[in-house]
Amino acid sequence: MTAEEGIADLRPLWRSKDQKAWYWYDWANSAFYTTVLSVLFAPYMATVAGKAAGCADPDETCAKTLSVLGLHLAAGSLPFYLTSFATIVSAFVLPLVGAFVDRSPRKKWHMGAYAWAGSFFCGLLFFMQGESWQLGAVAVVLASILGGCSLVSYYAILVDISTEDERDHVSSRGWAFGYLGGGLLLAVNLAMFLGHDAIGLEKGMSVRLSLLSAALWWAGFTIIPLVRLRNYEPVNEVAVEGTLLQRSFGQLFTTLKELRAFPMTLTFLIGYLFYNDGIQTVIYAASTYGSKQLKFDDSVLIGTILLIQFVAFGGALYFGRLAARHGAYRAILWGIYAWMAIVVVALFLPEKNVALFLAVAIAIGIVLGGTQALSRSFFSLLIPRGREGEYFALYNAAERGTSWFGTLLFGVVFQITGSYRPAIVALIIFFILGAFFLLRLDPARGIREAGNAVPQVV
């Protein structure tokens, strides 16, 4: 056996080890997105901002305003404005990061640096108390942006550690692992929050400790992939002159122009923007729909959040098996059809029927992780080799830059009709448009045009 043959024999073993190490970053960063952004930050920030605005009962929705960069914003809306601002900034920053990542042999260190910086700012949320809303505002915006930057590097590494045939399996397992990790920490934090009196904590302190735990979880578990992952040399060796900004923005313009040469990649990206916006809006609106329209109390809603989190773990694995048998393209389409059915069923849910509400939550959990995981892996097949950072940056930036369409439609329909029922079913338009573009896609052609090997099952 030659030395090259010996190395070739070891490659599957190396990939397997790297894949297992890679999963840990899904586990690590999910704490920030579940405990902080999805559940605890917004209501706590609204309370702190409400105190600063002078509301008599800051725990209730506060319409009094605060001055932010010369703008007068309602205290109760401040956390949502901050999230939107971070989203918009990310749309400009992420392409810069992606172009730089592709030219670096140290992707994992880029991921780690952004993760630790993001977790540092997340940790500063612990000090947001009394009326110190400004600290929390700056911290959550920077943590959100840096978290997105870390994901650009993380997604780019997926292509280094897996073959085309392994991509769906690896992405699905990583996503499932993330839901499990995020769900476990969220369960502990919600138990601490609900039982804060029993363990001698003030309500605010229980929230602050939960926010701090997410930062420590994110930073601590990031160490595992940094230690265990290998660095990979960049495939794209094209030299680009100029400063970092010139190289990055120059490459971004090149990427945008190149998309015209990859029509299937562009078609998928457009379809993804629509159906992913629908997914994000359903998740965002679920608690409001459950509390305001279906009249459920907080205990049911908290239980539902945890149920979705843990069911999504199994859903991601299930969709990974579907992709192995039928291909990621078909599995994503089936997932979109399931989302259409979910919003239609939600329209007819009766008030205070816990069993039916939980049944819909289980359906959401099954398709939630699966559609997101397979979208990540399928898009990776439509990317020219060596340009993963650039294209995944575009993927994330476009997703973040358009993720407000669904919430806008939801709000407008509610304002017109005065009911959340037509507002929730109106979201079906995003899934219809997503399916429309995906049905115009030839997956095998798109993979070949990107220069990748077509998997045995597409």
Side-chain angles (χ1 to χ4, degrees):
M1 178 185 295
T2 66
E4 290 184 358
E5 289 172 336
I7 291 173
D9 288 340
L10 288 172
R11 281 175 186 159
L13 178 62
W14 289 344
R15 287 202 307 273
S16 178
K17 289 181 176 179
D18 281 345
Q19 289 161 11
K20 291 174 182 176
W22 185 80
Y23 299 151
W24 281 102
Y25 190 65
D26 258 316
W27 175 283
N29 76 75
S30 62
F32 173 67
Y33 291 100
T34 53
T35 287
V36 179
L37 292 188
S38 296
V39 180
L40 292 179
F41 171 75
Y44 182 64
M45 177 63 166
T47 298
V48 174
K51 288 181 180 178
C55 289
D57 186 358
D59 285 333
E60 297 295 329
T61 302
C62 181
K64 292 187 177 180
T65 62
L66 295 166
S67 178
V68 182
L69 301 177
L71 301 174
H72 295 284
L73 305 178
S77 299
L78 183 59
F80 306 105
Y81 286 126
L82 292 172
T83 302
S84 298
F85 177 71
T87 295
I88 294 169
V89 173
S90 295
F92 291 96
V93 171
L94 296 187
L96 205 75
V97 173
F100 189 62
V101 163
D102 280 335
R103 303 184 185 284
S104 172
R106 295 179 293 276
K107 290 187 182 76
K108 72 172 186 178
W109 293 111
H110 288 286
M111 180 189 76
Y114 292 128
W116 283 332
S119 63
F120 168 77
F121 286 107
C122 179
L124 291 182
L125 294 174
F126 175 78
F127 301 101
M128 181 174 63
Q129 58 180 320
E131 299 182 0
S132 61
W133 61 270
Q134 295 96 334
L135 175 63
V138 173
V140 79
V141 167
L142 292 176
S144 298
I145 294 170
L146 290 162
C149 292
S150 72
L151 290 178
V152 170
S153 300
Y154 179 61
Y155 288 3
I157 293 171
L158 171 63
V159 178
D160 292 328
I161 64 172
S162 59
T163 65
E164 288 87 347
D165 282 306
E166 296 170 337
R167 208 70 53 80
D168 295 329
H169 169 77
V170 173
S171 183
S172 296
R173 294 197 65 161
W175 215 282
F177 209 44
Y179 274 114
L180 182 60
L184 287 173
L185 183 64
L186 181 61
V188 171
N189 286 330
L190 288 177
M192 178 170 62
F193 173 73
L194 294 173
H196 62 87
D197 287 331
I199 57 178
L201 289 177
E202 294 181 351
K203 182 179 178 181
M205 177 57 77
S206 69
V207 175
R208 291 166 55 211
L209 287 173
S210 297
L211 298 174
L212 179 62
S213 73
L216 296 174
W217 182 286
W218 186 6
F221 283 108
T222 297
I223 295 173
I224 297 176
L226 288 181
V227 170
R228 295 183 180 178
L229 272 172
R230 292 180 301 131
N231 278 312
Y232 289 82
E233 290 296 324
V235 174
N236 188 1
E237 298 291 348
V238 178
V240 181
E241 297 180 355
T243 65
L244 172 60
L245 290 177
Q246 289 171 334
R247 295 200 308 269
S248 299
F249 279 116
Q251 195 55 56
L252 169 61
F253 294 137
T254 300
T255 303
L256 291 172
K257 286 190 294 185
E258 280 184 352
L259 265 178
R260 291 180 295 181
F262 303 108
M264 297 298 101
T265 306
L266 180 59
T267 300
F268 174 78
L269 190 58
I270 295 172
Y272 173 74
L273 295 184
F274 283 113
Y275 73 76
N276 183 68
D277 199 1
I279 292 171
Q280 299 303 324
T281 307
V282 170
I283 299 305
Y284 169 82
S287 60
T288 301
Y289 190 72
S291 62
K292 303 299 184 183
Q293 188 69 50
L294 304 182
K295 312 301 182 185
F296 291 120
D297 58 28
D298 288 345
S299 61
V300 172
L301 296 176
I302 288 172
T304 303
I305 289 170
L306 289 174
L307 177 65
I308 290 174
Q309 197 75 20
F310 288 111
V311 171
F313 164 75
L317 296 178
Y318 172 67
F319 266 72
R321 295 190 185 98
L322 274 183
R325 177 175 291 184
H326 302 287
Y329 172 72
R330 292 185 183 86
I332 293 169
L333 267 176
W334 296 339
I336 294 173
Y337 298 150
W339 279 108
M340 292 182 194
I342 285 169
V343 296
V344 172
V345 170
L347 171 67
F348 298 103
L349 283 177
E351 291 184 6
K352 298 185 178 180
N353 190 315
V354 176
L356 289 178
F357 185 63
L358 293 181
V360 171
I362 290 171
I364 287 174
I366 290 172
V367 296
L368 175 62
T371 46
Q372 291 177 319
L374 293 183
S375 296
R376 175 171 69 182
S377 57
F378 184 66
F379 185 70
S380 74
L381 297 173
L382 302 174
I383 297 173
R385 190 70 175 97
R387 312 294 281 278
E388 293 82 19
E390 298 166 26
Y391 278 80
F392 270 123
L394 194 60
Y395 176 87
N396 285 326
E399 169 195 333
R400 290 166 181 266
T402 61
S403 60
W404 53 274
F405 289 148
T407 52
L408 175 63
L409 177 65
F410 186 82
V412 168
V413 174
F414 172 74
Q415 184 168 337
I416 293 172
T417 65
S419 171
Y420 287 110
R421 292 187 185 275
I424 198 76
V425 80
L427 300 178
I428 197 172
I429 187 65
F430 290 96
F431 300 113
I432 291 173
L433 289 171
F436 170 78
F437 283 101
L438 257 65
L439 288 170
R440 296 171 62 86
L441 176 67
D442 182 341
R445 174 190 163 189
I447 294 168
R448 284 193 296 267
E449 286 176 345
N452 297 313
V454 179
Q456 293 181 4
V457 182
V458 181

